[in-house]
Amino acid sequence: MKIPYFPGCTLYNKARGLDNSTRASLAALGVELAELSRWTCCGTVFPLARDNYMGMVAAARILAGVAGEGEDRLLTVCSFCYNVLKRVNYEMQHNPEARQKLNDYLEENYTGEIQVVHPLEICKEDVGFNAIQAKTSRNLKGLKVACYYGCMLVRPALEMGFDDPENPTVMEELVAALGAEVVEYPHKTTCCGSYQVLHENDLVRQRVRDILNSAAAKGAEAIITSCPLCQFNLDWLQGKILEQDAGFRQIPVLYFTQLLGVALELPRESLGLEQHYVDPRPLLLGA
Amino acid sequence: MAVELSNKMSREIIERIKEISGQDPYLCMQCGTCSAGCTGREVMELLPRQVMRLLQLGDARALHCRSIWVCSTCLLCTARCPRGIDLARLMEALRVINLRSGGEVLVAEKIPVELLTRVPQMALTSGFRKLSA
Ligand code: SF4
Ligand code: SF4
């Protein structure tokens, strides 16, 4: 199976590990990602001001381009890319004014026919968790994993149509298929503070501390996510928290595709596990 | 809450807020569900519910409070409001009215270099889109 793939700007830079592990792990499951021949940044955030159509242009152009190639699906893994592409697509389907303005500007005739999909959906719907379980060669038995969705994958529920917005479970189902132990904790869909790391750093530090402590209190040894910004906030800020609180226990924060890659025993170079602030290698590779 | 005359927003601005957000703040029944879950609540001097109340009163402090810049557009308030108000859109309308008149809070030169060189690209794009003119 071959699916058009939009990596996004961050995956070409700071989140190389997410890009590489997504391509490698899906390939091992029989899903080939065909990177778009031309793409730009998606704009990262969906504009909430109703008169801001410029904020939707980049995503609309990407979607129209994929439709122009005769494709019917587009896969992306970064939570921000997934959110903005899916919401702009929803606008193209349901908002005649947005559709007309964007099409007029882009000189396109796109009506939202592309389906924007996430690797978690591919794992569940196309490959199936039983098939994934059958393909894993390394058993992660005993590893306690907390799944962190953050805000962008699940909200707003109507447009994202991703999973249960208050209690999504698709990542937990994947963890269980890999043989690891799912840790339930109350913060899986709260926000880590996101881009406020640039402006309200203390707030983000506080949010991160709450999320990590809550997962740790339930015994989590690792946290998985699909968002490069969640990953960064949850990972990098641990060093800062440790400076203030010597008793703080650090937890590796991985991309779910990296955990999948470890279970599939993919070559280490394809996983990017050395790029984290809190090193996950001792836990995952015993190295 | 006493509203000083000098704090009154003009009809025109109230209409613009409604137009840009597509939301009606008068639907708010002040239950506080939005504030209870808000990501930024610990550093907001006015919680989302209070911003709603000021909007209902036409009080210009809603337009100039720090809360609108603390909001991380996580949409938790929007997801949970029992009156179906998309609060995140109202927060955005309050921000863009400031941004479109040149008021901004995130200035590139003020971001510490240590952070600037490490943050994922998406943080910069989204931060500047939400917090800079
Ligand atoms: S949740 Fe909705 S109704 Fe309740 S206080 Fe907030 S805006 Fe008002
Ligand atoms: S969108 Fe903004 S106001 Fe609403 S809960 Fe999130 S941070 Fe608070």
Side-chain angles (χ1 to χ4, degrees), chain B residues 25 27-36 48-50 52-53 56 77-78 80-87 90:
Chain B
L27 288 176
C28 171
M29 60 183 180
Q30 291 289 295
C31 68
T33 304
C34 49
S35 309
R49 175 187 68 79
Q50 295 171 309
M52 287 303 110
R53 186 72 184 126
Q56 291 176 338
C77 52
T78 295
R80 292 183 181 168
C81 172
R83 299 287 283 155
I85 303 172
D86 192 339
L87 247 93
L90 277 164

Side-chain angles (χ1 to χ4, degrees), chain A residues 132-186:
Chain A
I132 292 179
Q133 189 165 28
K135 285 203 164 130
T136 54
S137 46
R138 160 103 189 272
N139 197 329
L140 299 177
K141 198 165 187 302
L143 182 70
K144 296 191 169 116
V145 181
C147 302
Y148 181 69
Y149 294 80
C151 50
M152 291 281 171
L153 277 184
V154 289
R155 289 191 287 271
L158 182 65
E159 279 121 292
M160 297 312 290
F162 177 75
D163 197 341
D164 183 313
E166 293 283 352
N167 186 23
T169 53
V170 58
M171 246 193 277
E172 282 84 351
E173 290 166 43
L174 176 67
V175 168
L178 302 183
E181 193 178 315
V182 171
V183 171
E184 296 288 352
Y185 69 118

Side-chain angles (χ1 to χ4, degrees), chain A residues 107-265:
Chain A
E107 300 186 4
E108 292 282 358
N109 193 15
Y110 180 66
T111 54
E113 53 270 28
I114 292 293
Q115 198 194 345
V116 180
V117 290
H118 194 273
L120 284 165
E121 294 167 310
I122 295 293
C123 286
K124 180 169 181 161
E125 313 290 343
D126 293 61
V127 181
F129 291 128
N130 287 338
I132 292 179
Q133 189 165 28
K135 285 203 164 130
T136 54
S137 46
R138 160 103 189 272
N139 197 329
L140 299 177
K141 198 165 187 302
L143 182 70
K144 296 191 169 116
V145 181
C147 302
Y148 181 69
Y149 294 80
C151 50
M152 291 281 171
L153 277 184
V154 289
R155 289 191 287 271
L158 182 65
E159 279 121 292
M160 297 312 290
F162 177 75
D163 197 341
D164 183 313
E166 293 283 352
N167 186 23
T169 53
V170 58
M171 246 193 277
E172 282 84 351
E173 290 166 43
L174 176 67
V175 168
L178 302 183
E181 193 178 315
V182 171
V183 171
E184 296 288 352
Y185 69 118
H187 285 294
K188 65 183 180 183
T189 63
T190 60
C191 170
C192 67
S194 189
Y195 52 81
Q196 290 291 0
V197 68
L198 301 169
H199 176 60
E200 292 283 355
N201 201 282
D202 289 346
L203 167 71
V204 181
R205 205 175 292 194
Q206 187 56 45
R207 288 282 69 80
V208 166
R209 191 199 306 248
D210 289 350
I211 294 163
L212 294 168
N213 282 345
S214 151
K218 301 285 180 170
E221 296 169 297
I223 295 179
I224 56 168
T225 180
S226 86
C227 176
L229 187 45
C230 297
Q231 198 284 330
F232 173 78
N233 285 344
L234 291 172
D235 187 8
W236 183 64
L237 284 170
Q238 292 191 42
K240 306 277 160 197
I241 295 170
L242 200 58
E243 282 169 20
Q244 295 164 334
D245 172 5
F248 175 75
R249 183 160 78 76
Q250 299 196 71
I251 305 180
V253 183
L254 308 161
Y255 295 114
F256 72 95
T257 46
Q258 291 175 315
L259 190 70
L260 180 56
V262 169
L264 293 166
E265 288 196 293

Side-chain angles (χ1 to χ4, degrees), chain A residues 48 155 191 196 203, chain B residues 34-35 37-41 44 47-48 67-68 70-78 87-89 91 95:
Chain A
L48 295 174
R155 289 191 287 271
C191 170
Q196 290 291 0
L203 167 71
Chain B
C34 49
S35 309
C38 175
T39 302
R41 65 188 308 271
M44 283 180 180
L47 296 173
S67 307
I68 62 176
V70 169
C71 166
S72 62
T73 52
C74 72
L75 306 194
L76 203 67
C77 52
T78 295
L87 247 93
R89 287 201 189 257
M91 290 289 190
R95 276 191 301 270

